Amino acid sequence: MLILLVSSTHQALAAEEILLNAGVEVRLTPVPRAIASDCGICLRVSQEEGERAKALLRERSIELAGTHLL
């Protein structure tokens, strides 16, 4: 599983819509405490879809704050 971090809830919701419309299986979840202590949401995608997901978000100007392998 790959965790994609974005800077705001608004961007997370926009990113989810972009990925779902492109057929990428994505799930919004709370950011794991091991990654960040502050609250927030992140996107989870399969490791296999990770590069495609990142490319789709870059194309739509969604800037990632980080990525983590779970």
Side-chain angles (χ1 to χ4, degrees):
M1 201 53 69
L2 185 66
I3 300 291
L4 304 175
L5 300 173
V6 291
S7 61
S8 70
T9 300
H10 176 76
Q11 282 201 330
L13 294 170
E16 179 191 35
E17 183 177 353
I18 290 165
L19 297 177
L20 287 173
N21 287 338
V24 175
E25 195 171 318
V26 60
R27 175 184 240 175
L28 285 179
T29 63
V31 175
R33 285 200 184 271
I35 295 173
S37 61
D38 55 343
C39 62
I41 58 175
C42 63
L43 300 111
R44 287 185 183 206
V45 298
S46 69
Q47 192 172 352
E48 295 80 21
E49 288 275 43
E51 290 304 317
R52 179 172 174 237
K54 290 190 286 186
L56 286 164
L57 296 177
R58 265 193 309 272
E59 288 172 11
R60 298 291 298 272
S61 300
I62 301 289
E63 194 170 317
L64 294 176
T67 60
H68 296 270
L69 206 51
L70 246 184

